[in-house]
Amino acid sequence: DAYVQFVRNFMCCILDLQIPLPRSPQWYSSLMKSGNIPSPVDETPYLKLCVALTQMYACITVTVSAYKMLTRSLSDLAKYKKYSKNNPKSSPSNNNADIVVDTFIYEKIKASQRGVFIGFSLFGIGPPFLWLTANSLQITRAGWIGGLPALIHALTSMELFLIPLLYYMLKDGIDMILRARKMRNLSEQISKSSRKSIENLFGEGNIDVGVFGWLESNRTAMNMKASETDVDAVNEAYASPSGRFECFDPFKNEMSSTDVNEAFKIIAKAKASVAISLDMWKCKDNERIKLKEAQGTNNPKIEAAISPLLASADRLQFEGCRELLYFLLNFIAFYGYMLCILVYYFDDESLQPTGIRKLQFGMSNSDADWYGNFAGDFAWTIEPLVVLFSPVLLEKLGPTQMAKSKKD
């Protein structure tokens, strides 16, 4: 999809700038002049036909993605709401385990609701590409499928449904940066509090579920890979921070069933499993004394998580900045295409409200339409390049950044 998006918008930039191109292939010219293609479609330049094909690709793929996301999220939402409804009351003896499982279900419900909202928004973006395809094929000029007004309505739909996606790009970018900062603070807390009780991190009734998820996932990974060295842990954590720290699942894929009768048993089993994990993190008093005397630490497993934690924080910091860059590029595209819509609705410059003139930066309608359209095409040409090349850049930056974090 990134390759197609780049090609589509790069060709649009060429059309905007009216860059001279080689003549169309002979077969294409012959086809357009054969009389088998209705007017004005037979006037479609070869490059615009290529643009139309990529726009139709976007129409199909975005719509299919919207359908898949919407159906999957609705299914997950119904499932986790059933489990939430049948979740047994908290037990005083396993308070932290209850909090972990309850929070997990709550976060799954929130993630499913978000998926429903995004899937619905994508339905407002995918199908309108059909009218962009028609416009590239000159169909808009003929007044078919609604003509120019329908094209503007399609653009308006895409603009409106892009707004929530812009919000999530901004929110996700900020959340990733804050999460990276929290992970660094956690590693510092572990280093400075090595002689304090483990309950400082997992206080009864006041457990930080995110911290527990990171540390528990790291412990599980270390146990599953007996030969894993510290360098292996750092490399894996940097390559996939979500894979090591954010995929903690107390149900271990046992929540596939939506049978309400099984909900109580599955949740109870999950809480029991989490309770066992919490106990494993807590050294007994005599063990803690020995560890303090021998190593000056409460729990080596926690300290072993420091390097992977910092590596994941580095990667999340990069990814958060990249998400903010996505937001910036998409906001430029949003604003640019918005100018094209404003020009259509306020075509008489002498009657334009002051606010509209300010939004157009004082430009004439023709200039605002051209610069707005070009800004959108150019921003959406840069975005797929970021998608394609940022993983390579992150891998290049990885070893240096990880070495620095470990040294610090």
Side-chain angles (χ1 to χ4, degrees):
D1 290 348
Y3 286 115
V4 175
Q5 181 186 351
F6 170 74
V7 171
R8 179 180 70 246
N9 289 285
F10 182 71
M11 291 188 295
C12 288
C13 288
I14 292 177
L15 291 171
D16 294 336
L17 297 172
Q18 298 181 349
I19 298 176
L21 296 171
R23 296 179 60 183
S24 301
Q26 183 61 39
W27 67 266
Y28 182 78
S29 300
S30 301
L31 177 64
M32 291 294 105
K33 296 177 182 179
S34 64
N36 297 323
I37 307 298
S39 178
V41 180
D42 60 354
E43 300 176 20
T44 303
Y46 181 67
L47 190 61
K48 280 198 172 184
L49 173 64
C50 296
V51 171
L53 293 175
T54 57
Q55 288 170 332
M56 180 56 68
Y57 175 87
C59 176
I60 295 171
T61 55
V62 174
T63 303
V64 171
S65 296
Y67 174 77
K68 289 182 178 180
M69 177 173 288
L70 194 59
T71 53
R72 181 177 63 250
S73 298
L74 285 172
S75 175
D76 289 344
L77 182 60
K79 178 175 64 176
Y80 284 108
K81 278 192 172 182
K82 285 184 179 180
Y83 279 88
S84 177
K85 183 179 179 181
N86 292 273
N87 189 7
K89 294 183 179 180
S90 300
S91 170
S93 61
N94 288 325
N95 196 19
N96 274 347
D98 292 334
I99 292 174
V100 170
V101 175
D102 294 347
T103 302
F104 180 84
I105 295 176
Y106 173 72
E107 292 296 333
K108 284 293 186 180
I109 291 176
K110 284 206 313 182
S112 299
Q113 290 173 337
R114 169 175 166 158
V116 171
F117 189 54
I118 292 179
F120 179 75
S121 298
L122 290 176
F123 265 120
I125 295 176
F129 267 104
L130 178 64
W131 278 267
L132 298 184
T133 304
N135 184 57
S136 296
L137 296 175
Q138 315 297 315
I139 292 175
T140 303
R141 287 172 47 194
W144 304 340
I145 62 172
L148 182 58
L151 173 64
I152 296 299
H153 294 331
L155 287 173
T156 304
S157 170
M158 298 175 77
E159 289 283 284
L160 291 175
F161 286 102
L162 182 59
I163 293 175
L165 302 185
L166 287 172
Y167 164 76
Y168 281 123
M169 290 177 198
L170 180 61
K171 181 179 182 299
D172 289 346
I174 295 174
D175 286 347
M176 286 180 183
I177 293 174
L178 293 178
R179 196 181 309 136
R181 182 181 302 174
K182 182 177 180 180
M183 294 166 77
R184 291 193 180 97
N185 291 340
L186 173 61
S187 66
E188 183 177 351
Q189 179 184 356
I190 294 172
S191 299
K192 292 183 178 179
S193 305
S194 59
R195 290 184 177 272
K196 293 183 179 180
S197 172
I198 187 63
E199 280 76 12
N200 287 339
L201 291 176
F202 300 149
E204 191 62 35
N206 192 35
I207 186 172
D208 187 318
V209 179
V211 171
F212 173 75
W214 293 331
L215 297 178
E216 176 65 11
S217 297
N218 186 69
R219 182 188 67 80
T220 303
M222 292 174 65
N223 289 344
M224 292 177 63
K225 300 178 180 180
S227 61
E228 182 181 60
T229 65
D230 187 59
V231 175
D232 293 333
V234 169
N235 286 331
E236 182 186 341
Y238 182 82
S240 179
S242 60
R244 194 174 186 101
F245 289 101
E246 297 172 12
C247 290
F248 168 67
D249 184 354
F251 296 98
K252 297 180 175 60
N253 301 320
E254 290 191 51
M255 291 190 69
S256 58
S257 173
T258 58
D259 185 356
V260 176
N261 296 326
E262 294 294 323
F264 185 90
K265 294 181 180 178
I266 294 177
I267 294 175
K269 183 178 179 181
K271 290 183 176 181
S273 175
V274 171
I276 293 174
S277 296
L278 286 168
D279 289 338
M280 292 176 65
W281 281 104
K282 299 178 181 180
C283 297
K284 296 180 181 179
D285 290 339
N286 58 341
E287 293 176 346
R288 185 175 293 128
I289 292 173
K290 293 179 181 179
L291 285 170
K292 283 183 178 181
E293 293 175 349
Q295 302 175 341
T297 182
N298 268 335
N299 197 320
K301 294 176 182 177
I302 291 185
E303 293 204 343
I306 293 179
S307 293
L309 199 64
L310 288 171
S312 288
D314 291 338
R315 182 62 176 249
L316 283 176
Q317 181 81 22
F318 289 139
E319 292 182 349
C321 293
R322 180 178 61 182
E323 198 69 21
L324 293 179
L325 178 58
Y326 289 151
F327 166 78
L328 177 62
L329 292 172
N330 280 274
F331 181 80
I332 292 173
F334 169 83
Y335 196 92
Y337 295 133
M338 180 189 70
L339 293 181
C340 301
I341 297 173
L342 293 178
V343 166
Y344 173 81
Y345 285 111
F346 298 92
D347 56 336
D348 191 339
E349 296 183 27
S350 62
L351 300 178
Q352 279 184 345
T354 303
I356 299 299
R357 287 199 296 272
K358 289 183 178 180
L359 287 173
Q360 295 182 186
F361 301 106
M363 292 185 291
S364 64
N365 276 357
S366 59
D367 286 345
D369 183 59
W370 189 89
Y371 282 107
N373 186 63
F374 179 73
D377 291 341
F378 184 73
W380 276 353
T381 302
I382 299 300
E383 184 189 23
L385 293 178
V386 177
V387 174
L388 293 170
F389 291 105
S390 59
V392 178
L393 177 62
L394 289 176
E395 292 303 322
K396 292 291 184 182
L397 295 174
T400 302
Q401 188 69 15
M402 286 188 290
K404 178 179 182 300
S405 295
K406 189 174 179 181
K407 182 179 179 180
D408 292 344

